[in-house]
Amino acid sequence: MSTITIQQLADKLGLSGAAVSMALRGKCGVSEETRERVLEAARQYGYTPPQKAPRRKTVRKQGDSGFCPVLIVFREKEWSDEAATFFASMLEKLERMAGGLLVYYIDPPEEGHPIDLEKIRRINETASVALIHGVSLETEQLELLLERLRCPAVVFDRAPEGIAVHSVSMDNSGIISGAVREFVRLGYRKFTFIRTGELWQIPNHRSRLAGYHLAQQELLARFPDLGLDFTETDLPDRYADEKAREAFVQAADGRVCFSAQDYTALYASFLLGEDAGRTILGGFDDFPCIQQIRTPTFTFRYELDSVCQTAMGLAESISQKPYLPSMHIGVTGQMICRNFDPAADFSDWKGEK
């Protein structure tokens, strides 16, 4: 029996229990540096994994109507430790809900290299339904996968664009549009959205900006006399000159700033420097990095339980009725404010509203 648990090992290393678990099990998603740190600490503190009874692999037979899901994960090229932790938590929840889940990692097909047909064959022999983790999937890659699957599928963690497939995701657009409306209700008048270069290739990021545009159009039409001010600005990259950085500081000053991820808000706070206290910075992910910002900040918590439960429920339904019309379900999330209370701090906040 081990004298130290995974969580105790994680506490000593300053990591999450999920990240340590992934490193110990040799799963992808944590950096090699993190994996080496975990393995060395495990040796140092004498960690030994608990013995588990072997799980029987369930193979679906022809005519079997039992619910047998698989999870298909398109392998990410790079994952931050925070993203790896989030994915590990998601995987554990799905496994519990399904009472055991077969996971297939597939490399995204590149030009001239076909999708892994052997894995697809095994999935078709095994699964009554497939859940597809689809954040990083290009539309063409997803279409290629769906063409080869014989079982019905649920894409979760994103809303596929232009593809007739069942899907469940965070309501990226609705969450941000709702937050803008709430800030306006509390008396805030000046807003901007911080755009970030190549990230706009990601569907979730485009959805978040679309939610900002939706609120802008609705509120300007409903309240033309409130003096609402909506802008957008680009986040300078690390190679930007001083003039570009000064322009960003001026564009964000005294505003409620939305962005598509917490890392954007963190870098924006660094660029704003002493002026950061005049700006409210918002991200989207609830990663630990948002806690590093010491000025008014908000983020959105991904309702992981709700997304997983909804995806699993939909998967079970279509496994029994595979010819149901395709549908998309958007799950709402929660806005979390740090270092300020949006209502209580309204009169004292330094920014001009």
Side-chain angles (χ1 to χ4, degrees), residues 263-307:
Y263 290 114
T264 301
L266 179 60
Y267 184 50
S269 71
F270 168 75
L271 293 177
L272 291 170
E274 294 180 356
D275 294 324
R278 293 174 47 81
T279 300
I280 297 176
L281 292 168
F284 199 117
D285 281 328
D286 194 29
F287 282 162
C289 70
I290 201 76
Q291 300 174 19
Q292 299 176 37
I293 304 176
R294 302 305 177 193
T295 53
T297 311
F298 64 94
T299 188
F300 299 95
R301 173 167 291 161
Y302 202 114
E303 296 292 349
L304 186 60
D305 285 345
S306 298
V307 171

Side-chain angles (χ1 to χ4, degrees), residues 95-106:
E95 285 184 318
R96 287 198 300 270
M97 292 174 188
L101 188 67
L102 297 176
V103 182
Y104 290 84
Y105 291 90
I106 297 179

Side-chain angles (χ1 to χ4, degrees), residues 157-178:
D157 209 16
R158 68 166 281 195
E161 299 177 349
I163 301 178
V165 62
H166 301 281
S167 55
V168 175
S169 75
M170 187 67 143
D171 185 6
N172 289 288
S173 176
I175 290 170
I176 283 193
S177 60

Side-chain angles (χ1 to χ4, degrees), residues 331-350:
V331 178
T332 58
Q334 176 185 3
M335 186 171 76
I336 304 167
C337 295
R338 293 193 171 94
N339 304 318
F340 86 117
D341 179 331
D345 288 356
F346 169 67
S347 60
D348 299 329
W349 184 53
K350 295 178 182 178

Side-chain angles (χ1 to χ4, degrees), residues 6 9-10 13-26 30-47 81:
I6 284 181
L9 196 59
L13 293 169
L15 299 171
S16 70
V20 169
S21 176
M22 290 185 74
L24 291 170
R25 292 187 292 165
V30 294
S31 66
E32 284 304 314
E33 180 182 356
T34 298
R35 193 185 310 280
E36 289 299 323
R37 283 181 58 210
V38 171
L39 294 176
E40 177 58 32
R43 287 190 290 267
Q44 178 183 349
Y45 293 105
Y47 172 80
D81 285 346

Side-chain angles (χ1 to χ4, degrees), residues 112-155:
H113 294 81
I115 199 167
D116 191 332
L117 296 179
E118 176 58 26
K119 285 187 178 179
I120 298 298
R121 183 188 65 79
R122 294 201 300 270
I123 291 169
N124 285 334
E125 290 179 350
T126 303
S128 62
V129 64
L131 293 100
I132 303 173
H133 178 56
V135 165
S136 62
L137 279 177
E138 297 292 338
T139 298
E140 295 79 8
Q141 295 171 346
L142 179 56
E143 287 180 319
L144 183 63
L145 176 62
L146 292 172
E147 285 176 4
R148 286 160 172 74
L149 285 177
R150 294 178 186 170
C151 58
V154 176
V155 178

